[in-house]
Amino acid sequence: RINKFTILHYSPFKAVWDWLILLLVIYTAVFTPYSAAFLLNDSEERKRRECGYSCSPLNVVDLIVDIMFIIDILINFRTTYVNQNEEVVSDPAKIAIHYFKGWFLIDMVAAIPFDLLIFGSGSEETTTLIGLLKTARLLRLVRVARKLDRYSEYGAAVLMLLMCIFALIAHWLACIWYAIGNVERPYLAHKIGWLDSLGEQLGKHYNKSDASSGPSIKDKYVTALYFTFSSLTSVGFGNVSPNTNSEKIFSICVMLIGSLMYASIFGNVSAIIQRLYSGTARYHMQMLRVKEFIRFHQIPNPLRQRLEEYFQHAWTYTNGIDMNMVLKGFPECLQADICLHLNQNLLQNCKAFRGASKGCLRALAMKFKTTHAPPGDTLVHCGDVLTALYFVSRGSIEILKSDIVVAILGKNDIFGEMVHLYAKPGKSNADVRALTYCDLHKIQREDLLEVLDMYPEFSDLFLTNLELTFNLRDETAKVHIKSYIFFFP
Amino acid sequence: RINKFTILHYSPFKAVWDWLILLLVIYTAVFTPYSAAFLLNDSEERKRRECGYSCSPLNVVDLIVDIMFIIDILINFRTTYVNQNEEVVSDPAKIAIHYFKGWFLIDMVAAIPFDLLIFGSGSEETTTLIGLLKTARLLRLVRVARKLDRYSEYGAAVLMLLMCIFALIAHWLACIWYAIGNVERPYLAHKIGWLDSLGEQLGKHYNKSDASSGPSIKDKYVTALYFTFSSLTSVGFGNVSPNTNSEKIFSICVMLIGSLMYASIFGNVSAIIQRLYSGTARYHMQMLRVKEFIRFHQIPNPLRQRLEEYFQHAWTYTNGIDMNMVLKGFPECLQADICLHLNQNLLQNCKAFRGASKGCLRALAMKFKTTHAPPGDTLVHCGDVLTALYFVSRGSIEILKSDIVVAILGKNDIFGEMVHLYAKPGKSNADVRALTYCDLHKIQREDLLEVLDMYPEFSDLFLTNLELTFNLRDETAKVHIKSYIFFFP
Amino acid sequence: RINKFTILHYSPFKAVWDWLILLLVIYTAVFTPYSAAFLLNDSEERKRRECGYSCSPLNVVDLIVDIMFIIDILINFRTTYVNQNEEVVSDPAKIAIHYFKGWFLIDMVAAIPFDLLIFGSGSEETTTLIGLLKTARLLRLVRVARKLDRYSEYGAAVLMLLMCIFALIAHWLACIWYAIGNVERPYLAHKIGWLDSLGEQLGKHYNKSDASSGPSIKDKYVTALYFTFSSLTSVGFGNVSPNTNSEKIFSICVMLIGSLMYASIFGNVSAIIQRLYSGTARYHMQMLRVKEFIRFHQIPNPLRQRLEEYFQHAWTYTNGIDMNMVLKGFPECLQADICLHLNQNLLQNCKAFRGASKGCLRALAMKFKTTHAPPGDTLVHCGDVLTALYFVSRGSIEILKSDIVVAILGKNDIFGEMVHLYAKPGKSNADVRALTYCDLHKIQREDLLEVLDMYPEFSDLFLTNLELTFNLRDETAKVHIKSYIFFFP
Amino acid sequence: RINKFTILHYSPFKAVWDWLILLLVIYTAVFTPYSAAFLLNDSEERKRRECGYSCSPLNVVDLIVDIMFIIDILINFRTTYVNQNEEVVSDPAKIAIHYFKGWFLIDMVAAIPFDLLIFGSGSEETTTLIGLLKTARLLRLVRVARKLDRYSEYGAAVLMLLMCIFALIAHWLACIWYAIGNVERPYLAHKIGWLDSLGEQLGKHYNKSDASSGPSIKDKYVTALYFTFSSLTSVGFGNVSPNTNSEKIFSICVMLIGSLMYASIFGNVSAIIQRLYSGTARYHMQMLRVKEFIRFHQIPNPLRQRLEEYFQHAWTYTNGIDMNMVLKGFPECLQADICLHLNQNLLQNCKAFRGASKGCLRALAMKFKTTHAPPGDTLVHCGDVLTALYFVSRGSIEILKSDIVVAILGKNDIFGEMVHLYAKPGKSNADVRALTYCDLHKIQREDLLEVLDMYPEFSDLFLTNLELTFNLRDETAKVHIKSYIFFFP
């Protein structure tokens, strides 16, 4: 449906073109002020210019830039865009309207080829005027700025960018600084302008009779840049310094701009450093809380060490992120899918879950909790109430009765009690301890019963298939038939 | 009830007047130190002043300022104000008391026309004294400061203001710097004061016999300002630098003030930048949590992509704000109104809610949840328990039975089960999947039954009017009449 | 029980003494380095010193300081302290042990009167040695530092302190800077040391034959201070600058110290500014959430305005603090006391609560919630379920039936329903709307019934005394005797 | 199982060796650029070098470094490492592969002994080349950087490190700065290079005919370092400043580097200061909330003081950390162990808990709450419902009946009611008030009954053994047999 001259905004051609235009804009941003300030006022340059437009390589590049900018406008009229409803618009009329409302004006002004328009009259005034008018091209930078927005998340990119902007502004100010010195020089009664001082310093004195006397362009540009940098970074060596009033006023402006720019660099670096530290800071705050807890409760050393080790292990394991909170952040249907994935091995391989319907498996997956136990950790103490059924998925576990190992369980083993047989949870008749780092799937008694209740057809299957590797229920424990009886009702 | 000469504090006249006074205060803040330091000590100026008060334009402005400040005091006595109980007070006596307790003293001191009071004696000492006394007008700035408080939320405004204060302080310090140099100059044995050095530099040497020799006022002011700026911004070029003891001591003070001012600009810029980044930072922290979650659980690619896409979509949709939390922040009666608005279309247009009383609609609105589903998202899986009733309000939804599309639902369609017919929720007999971005209103089974129970007259209507577009209930599923039976009670 | 020579650590005498010692320490911190560097090496001073110890005012002060510091040690041996169990210890032996373990060493070293010990030999080497040894007194500052810790919460105090430390360090460095220049001067082949340059600049050349030639002490001190300040604040004018190697090395150290000090000032100012903004920042974040909520749900204007107004009103009212959270932070017995205070007026004045026991009132107070309603807010809509009983404590409220005002309630009025008469809450037969800003005490039906159940003797009284100003119960509403009946059990 | 030539990565030998290598790397980082820039270009040095390799002490050290670096590579091939599964790998083949993939290349390049390889030809070009090639050793610093990562949590360490890096970079730049001046000097038409200026300043002029004229190496190094420091810290005195174009360009680079380095120091100091304040900030925010709460509810003075005192006491006690939250952060089995520890004294010593099984004690420990009461605090008011059983573990408590002390309880005393005798909680017949700071163990009635229900064999024992020191139950209070009866069902 799309016209063959229409360019998709995500096509590779457009991407390459955008980067090309970006390069040209940067070229313009650098060379337009430079040529406006340094070259136009220069005698040799003026001569070169008089000899014709096409003979200099710089002018050829300028011509190419002019043409490219005009082509870019045409291309923009044929490039699709995404509207507010997230639809790609390819209708030329709509594109044109969208472009007119947006960047057209800036692109237009930046693309006017002033050189060609005022061509012919080669007087000094005209060339200066052209130089000033061509600074309109810097408007294009606004458009680049928006493009760079997406890199704002990367601290280093922001810093690089800031340094580039810093350098660019220093370059512009250097151009202005030169222009001030150059314009003012002939009218100064006392030769105290910075260019005169520079000539003095370098031993290249200005000579009234010789127009080409004085420092070279390179000398002047480097010195101007050096001055603006030393002002902007607040170093201020002072061997190049403002002496006339206009130089001083300009210098005040540069200092003001410099302090703001410097402050923004500092602010950014501060922000980046704080982002760098945020992880460490979170860890230390939590560690401090644990240490304070230990100090507060005067927890003695074996237990104390366990607490600290657990904390450190948990942190390196999860990076201090509450995985459950992240899970809860997703909508329920995604949660179920995640839980299915997490318990995939268990639900697929364990005999007990064979024959369960998809819905039933989803319901079960949502109920399972995965626990991670370090070696030596006692999962169930003898006498504890058996509130859950455990499925071992990694590592090995020992079962101890009065400190004698009665069983060692491994992958795919199940321990707990036959949940469905009893109305009330029983008590454990043994200690269960992790031998290595273990991963366990655990389902609460109530949750399991609820699912079984909901899926009666699965319930029968499950009860037939479930084979406990070790039944923890203490059958000798006194059965309490009725709840406590009070003397006074 | 209000006297016709009483001015309302929110009247346009008062607003205009306040801005006018603000301008005059700024004028005073700029010109009072300038004239005190530069003009009064100057020989030409002294002559001009001797020729009479009214002849100079600057003095006319000063006179106007004097008069305006006095008028402002009178106006303040007639301007209403808001007391602590948020009542507008227009009683002149109370206004006067309020004003006397507040800004009166500052306004009074700032408005004394010292020029007029000590008029007559045109000696040098008197004019210097007047200059010093007139700095009392700067007290007015305190009042302006309070006015600017309200702009503190806008980073750019704070920055602008700080730069203005910076410039103003630089201006004041420049005036003092000039005054020091000027007062000290005649008494120096060695001509090493900064004014002498400046004269030397500019080639305008001071000449003992010629009082008008030396740099011009403009030279001196610009140089003084350049010096204070270069001190305050810590650039310190050094071509203008303190040489005498008093200059050095003053310079130490300027450096101290400068470091504090500079630090406060940096601090503000840091704060602004951190505010700018706070949104991005929040996004990245959340994104990191999701990525860490994926890494931790080693979630494979189709699911992983869904999680990331969901997160990004949800973020762009809600900007990372928990809308439910915001809703909960409002009092219940506002909450109900908001919910009514959110479910307006549903409650007004859906046949099922016809005839419901206002109270009933409010109760229903509070129970509805709006969900937003991306295309491809499965809302209900076959076999899931039907815990809710869904009303489609945007987008289209397909219903699949063993991967065959049996229905496509659109706007205003309802799916779920006939909640009121069954004591227990049934199970879904089909998958429900979003085809496009969908908005759904969802009401939990229990919530619906509760409302129906509360409004029995509506209950009958609802059951008659409710027409499910698609009944998801799986009638073939085994009905479980009784709960699980345990072998051991 | 306390010995009469024992001084209580919180006694006014001790406080005054501590401030006195603080002043002396500051005096020492300022004058010890100054005299060590400037006076000892100076020819006139040396002469003055030779003429005897007691004749100079500065030396008298030094003597007093020496004596005071020794007295302070004695006083410390008699001053009580607080031990870890928060008990005041007044036993001299324990005090002595505590002091020996703590500050004794520092106090001792700082109090040694080197002048007196090495008295007699008035040679130059001895005086220099004394000067260096006396810097041990600066150790006392460590003790002052701990005292200042408590002011760390006040941003301005921290800043003041930092500036003072900054100035003090600058002073010390100025003394060292002078000492370097002075010591090195005689040995320099080329007279390029900073003191020679200064002499040149000020026109006070050093003269080999005249020991008293060169700049005056004041010139030298001010210039040294000016140099250290311009280094520390990174201004670096350069008219006073290091020329010899040792000067350059010292200057590098000063620059390093300066950058750290400067950074810490900046860091503190940043922290203070961020603390200043934290309130505003919290407000804006919350406001943004509300605005985002409105934008997200496209809430139209009347409701939108209500939301924004409510938010702003609530913020100015509570400053964005969740009062309930603060209350929950206190232990239960304090909570009850606070609640009693909050509902004091209601519980004391309302007839319904007459005769309730203290325990019962506490139980009731815990259940009451206070709500604040702005004018125009509808508290109860017609048809809403009556879940609470309301007691008006401020403002007036109107009751409307089909938009006709049927009653206006004021202070001490009660509305709701006769809770105890019905097993189920009824529905409202009218709208209840606030006319002015209202404060209401509200108790949930269940909470009230629970308390009545708990205190049966009060229950009878309450039911007799409770007089509803307006009974909202809609008696005409269909009474629903039984819960919903399902077709399929 | 481990080969005797295999070195464990945690063995003391390896640690010492690592520190040794670290020292050598730092030595290399400092001396390599220095010798490359200063010594190689120097005439005397050149001569010294020509006289043979082994005669100079510096060269011997260089040789040792070369050898040590090669040995380090060999050692690395025999050092065990920890793989991703947290296993120690000691298999030489695996170690080699791990090393080849990791640091081998950097270590290799840094260890190449260029001196020895290009030995023989003693020409100037070769030595310069060797100097440049030896900078490859700086690569080793990358490895050091990773080692320093672990100190990032200590603010002071980070700062120290930053200052060292700052100094190191200044040193390197000083070397480059000297090299530029030295290389450029012979080719300058006007002698305006910084070395010429320095010669002028120090009175040690360069002399064409005398190669050894000009400033000494020490002069040049100190001045170069002084220049880079004054640029990097943005002081910029200006007495040493760039004059030629290449010097200016280098200076621009130094200023840019300096601003970034300075910004990172500032950012770090800011971060450290904010971390320092975070504790205080948290305290003040909470205190502000409490104060705002008091202001909002206009709480009068006796209560107000209690609130503030409680808050301050609680803060100093727990440092503002919610101990319960920390406890909840641990897995259940650790929680039980902690609770057992916390209630150890009670459960071991109290007669009532004798004969309880381990599981039962764990269950009980989990239910106990420890409360801390300040003196004067009323724990139970007369008429309060007795919801808990209290065990005093520290301090003394008085029991008051109508303001008459009827009992004083101390350690190990129990008060409350005989929980098991009544179906409903009773009411207190007395006030219970803390006399001193008290620690109490408290168990809720429901929790206790639940545990008793779960462990029936313990239940009988408990009821026999439990001896209340003071029974608070008010037997005279009206017994309420049935719940409230409603008039309308």
Side-chain angles (χ1 to χ4, degrees), chain D residues 278-295:
Chain D
S278 71
T280 331
R282 232 174 61 232
Y283 173 78
H284 283 285
M285 213 178 76
Q286 294 298 329
M287 193 66 202
L288 194 107
R289 280 159 57 104
V290 170
K291 280 190 175 149
E292 200 72 22
F293 181 81
I294 287 165
R295 188 195 58 75

Side-chain angles (χ1 to χ4, degrees), chain D residues 331-351:
Chain D
E332 226 168 77
C333 105
L334 265 178
Q335 275 183 43
D337 284 354
I338 296 166
C339 288
L340 258 185
H341 163 76
L342 296 183
N343 300 290
Q344 204 173 16
N345 281 324
L346 177 70
L347 296 177
Q348 276 174 6
N349 301 337
C350 184
K351 209 176 129 192

Side-chain angles (χ1 to χ4, degrees), chain D residues 277-451:
Chain D
Y277 281 147
S278 71
T280 331
R282 232 174 61 232
Y283 173 78
H284 283 285
M285 213 178 76
Q286 294 298 329
M287 193 66 202
L288 194 107
R289 280 159 57 104
V290 170
K291 280 190 175 149
E292 200 72 22
F293 181 81
I294 287 165
R295 188 195 58 75
F296 179 69
H297 288 313
Q298 292 161 20
I299 293 174
N301 216 341
L303 185 54
R304 177 197 178 134
Q305 212 171 325
R306 270 174 69 200
L307 291 188
E308 286 179 354
E309 265 168 22
Y310 171 81
F311 174 75
Q312 270 160 13
H313 180 78
W315 194 275
T316 54
Y317 208 62
T318 64
N319 228 330
I321 292 164
D322 187 343
M323 292 301 167
N324 234 27
M325 280 281 289
V326 179
L327 186 64
K328 289 273 162 63
F330 291 110
E332 226 168 77
C333 105
L334 265 178
Q335 275 183 43
D337 284 354
I338 296 166
C339 288
L340 258 185
H341 163 76
L342 296 183
N343 300 290
Q344 204 173 16
N345 281 324
L346 177 70
L347 296 177
Q348 276 174 6
N349 301 337
C350 184
K351 209 176 129 192
F353 302 109
R354 247 171 240 168
S357 67
K358 269 192 166 185
C360 174
L361 284 179
R362 290 174 73 86
L364 275 170
M366 294 281 278
K367 302 295 186 187
F368 269 104
K369 296 266 167 297
T370 314
T371 31
H372 179 81
D377 210 31
T378 305
L379 298 160
V380 182
H381 284 262
C382 179
D384 279 358
V385 175
L386 295 166
T387 53
L389 200 61
Y390 296 84
F391 299 80
V392 184
S393 81
R394 195 168 73 100
S396 45
I397 277 170
E398 60 179 359
I399 294 177
L400 301 110
K401 271 189 181 160
S402 39
D403 289 334
I404 296 157
V405 178
V406 292
I408 288 187
L409 309 185
K411 207 186 156 181
N412 294 331
D413 282 337
I414 307 169
F415 63 92
E417 66 166 345
M418 296 302 277
V419 172
H420 52 289
L421 296 179
Y422 314 95
K424 285 218 157 194
K427 270 169 242 161
S428 173
N429 57 9
D431 285 326
V432 179
R433 196 151 63 189
L435 278 172
T436 60
Y437 279 106
C438 297
D439 285 335
L440 291 138
H441 297 276
K442 177 172 146 187
I443 189 165
Q444 290 300 119
R445 188 190 149 86
E446 290 78 35
D447 291 337
L448 180 57
L449 288 177
E450 195 189 310
V451 173

Side-chain angles (χ1 to χ4, degrees), chain B residues 223-239:
Chain B
T223 306
L225 197 66
Y226 162 74
F227 170 74
T228 49
F229 258 102
S230 83
S231 299
L232 288 176
T233 58
S234 90
V235 174
F237 284 111
N239 58 338

Side-chain angles (χ1 to χ4, degrees), chain A residues 115-410:
Chain A
D115 301 2
L116 302 173
L117 290 180
I118 324 180
F119 189 71
S121 62
S123 71
E124 197 178 333
E125 288 74 34
T126 322
T127 45
T128 312
L129 182 71
I130 289 171
L132 290 176
L133 285 173
K134 279 178 88 176
T135 54
R137 282 184 180 176
L138 301 184
L139 281 172
R140 273 265 177 174
L141 279 178
V142 180
R143 211 169 162 178
V144 175
R146 264 192 55 164
K147 221 175 199 159
L148 298 168
D149 208 45
R150 80 182 74 165
Y151 300 106
S152 73
E153 50 177 295
Y154 307 106
V158 170
L159 219 61
M160 269 301 296
L161 224 99
L162 269 171
M163 297 315 291
C164 290
I165 293 168
F166 196 84
L168 199 64
I169 287 177
H171 168 76
W172 291 349
L173 292 173
C175 295
I176 299 172
W177 174 244
Y178 169 75
I180 288 171
N182 201 39
V183 165
E184 218 182 18
R185 212 178 57 77
Y187 310 108
L188 288 174
H190 303 268
K191 292 302 176 198
I192 52 165
W194 76 269
L195 283 173
D196 294 292
S197 311
L198 181 68
E200 205 85 15
Q201 249 176 50
L202 299 182
K204 298 175 180 172
H205 300 273
Y206 272 98
N207 199 331
K208 264 193 183 164
S209 55
D210 179 10
S212 70
S213 66
S216 69
I217 285 196
K218 199 189 160 192
D219 285 340
K220 288 186 282 188
Y221 175 69
V222 168
T223 307
L225 198 65
Y226 162 74
F227 170 74
T228 48
F229 259 102
S230 81
S231 300
L232 288 176
T233 59
S234 89
V235 174
F237 284 109
N239 58 338
V240 181
S241 56
N243 290 315
T244 70
N245 284 348
S246 32
E247 280 170 18
K248 278 171 186 164
I249 289 165
F250 174 72
S251 179
I252 288 170
C253 299
V254 172
M255 286 189 261
L256 265 181
I257 294 168
S259 71
L260 274 184
M261 291 241 32
Y262 214 43
S264 73
I265 288 178
F266 273 40
N268 271 291
V269 171
S270 275
I272 289 162
I273 283 169
Q274 255 165 34
R275 233 182 300 161
L276 277 179
Y277 280 148
S278 72
T280 331
R282 232 174 61 232
Y283 173 77
H284 282 285
M285 213 178 76
Q286 294 298 330
M287 193 66 202
L288 195 107
R289 282 159 57 102
V290 170
K291 280 190 176 148
E292 200 72 22
F293 180 82
I294 287 167
R295 187 195 60 74
F296 180 69
H297 288 313
Q298 291 161 20
I299 293 174
N301 216 341
L303 185 54
R304 175 196 178 136
Q305 212 171 325
R306 270 174 68 202
L307 290 189
E308 286 179 354
E309 265 169 21
Y310 171 79
F311 174 75
Q312 269 160 14
H313 181 76
W315 194 275
T316 53
Y317 209 61
T318 65
N319 229 329
I321 292 164
D322 186 343
M323 292 303 167
N324 234 28
M325 281 280 289
V326 179
L327 185 64
K328 289 275 161 63
F330 291 109
E332 225 168 77
C333 105
L334 265 178
Q335 276 183 43
D337 284 354
I338 296 166
C339 288
L340 258 184
H341 164 76
L342 296 183
N343 300 291
Q344 204 173 16
N345 281 324
L346 177 70
L347 297 177
Q348 275 174 8
N349 301 337
C350 184
K351 209 177 131 193
F353 302 108
R354 249 171 238 168
S357 67
K358 270 192 167 186
C360 173
L361 284 179
R362 291 173 72 86
L364 276 169
M366 295 280 278
K367 302 295 186 187
F368 269 104
K369 296 267 166 296
T370 314
T371 30
H372 179 80
D377 211 32
T378 306
L379 297 162
V380 181
H381 284 261
C382 180
D384 278 359
V385 176
L386 296 166
T387 54
L389 200 61
Y390 294 84
F391 298 81
V392 185
S393 82
R394 195 169 73 99
S396 44
I397 275 169
E398 59 180 359
I399 294 178
L400 300 111
K401 271 188 181 162
S402 40
D403 289 331
I404 297 157
V405 178
V406 292
I408 288 186
L409 308 186

Side-chain angles (χ1 to χ4, degrees), chain D residues 31-274:
Chain D
F31 277 92
T32 308
Y34 180 77
S35 64
F38 281 84
L39 304 182
L40 299 185
N41 291 303
D42 212 62
S43 49
E44 314 114 71
E45 167 65 14
R46 223 175 296 137
K47 274 183 218 134
R48 192 167 60 75
R49 214 153 250 269
E50 274 157 15
C51 89
Y53 197 87
S54 58
C55 57
S56 117
L58 216 70
N59 286 352
V60 172
V61 175
D62 274 8
L63 197 66
I64 292 170
V65 171
D66 283 349
I67 293 164
M68 291 288 271
F69 278 10
I70 291 165
I71 294 172
D72 185 52
I73 292 176
L74 298 179
I75 282 177
N76 270 321
F77 273 115
R78 309 296 309 175
T79 309
T80 58
Y81 71 98
V82 176
N83 71 359
Q84 284 187 320
N85 299 327
E86 300 191 25
E87 294 160 350
V88 173
V89 178
S90 62
D91 178 29
K94 281 188 185 167
I95 291 173
I97 291 166
H98 181 247
Y99 187 45
F100 274 125
K101 282 185 187 162
W103 295 104
F104 176 72
L105 200 74
I106 282 176
D107 287 0
M108 196 61 220
V109 173
I112 299 170
F114 293 104
D115 301 1
L116 302 174
L117 291 180
I118 324 181
F119 188 71
S121 62
S123 72
E124 197 179 333
E125 287 76 34
T126 322
T127 44
T128 314
L129 183 71
I130 288 170
L132 290 175
L133 285 173
K134 279 178 89 178
T135 53
R137 284 183 179 178
L138 301 184
L139 280 172
R140 274 264 177 175
L141 280 178
V142 180
R143 210 169 163 178
V144 175
R146 263 192 57 163
K147 222 173 199 162
L148 299 168
D149 208 46
R150 78 182 76 166
Y151 300 106
S152 73
E153 50 178 295
Y154 307 106
V158 170
L159 220 59
M160 268 301 296
L161 225 98
L162 268 172
M163 297 314 290
C164 289
I165 293 168
F166 196 84
L168 198 64
I169 287 177
H171 168 76
W172 291 349
L173 292 173
C175 294
I176 299 172
W177 174 244
Y178 169 76
I180 288 171
N182 201 39
V183 166
E184 217 181 19
R185 211 179 57 76
Y187 310 108
L188 286 175
H190 304 268
K191 294 300 176 198
I192 53 166
W194 75 269
L195 284 173
D196 294 291
S197 312
L198 182 68
E200 205 87 13
Q201 248 175 52
L202 299 181
K204 299 174 181 171
H205 298 274
Y206 273 97
N207 198 329
K208 265 194 183 166
S209 54
D210 180 10
S212 70
S213 65
S216 69
I217 284 196
K218 199 189 160 193
D219 284 341
K220 289 186 283 188
Y221 175 69
V222 167
T223 307
L225 198 66
Y226 162 74
F227 170 75
T228 50
F229 259 102
S230 82
S231 300
L232 288 176
T233 58
S234 89
V235 174
F237 283 110
N239 58 338
V240 181
S241 57
N243 290 316
T244 70
N245 283 348
S246 32
E247 281 170 20
K248 277 170 185 164
I249 288 165
F250 175 72
S251 180
I252 288 169
C253 299
V254 173
M255 286 189 261
L256 264 182
I257 294 168
S259 71
L260 274 184
M261 290 241 32
Y262 213 42
S264 73
I265 288 178
F266 274 39
N268 271 290
V269 172
S270 275
I272 289 162
I273 284 169
Q274 253 163 36

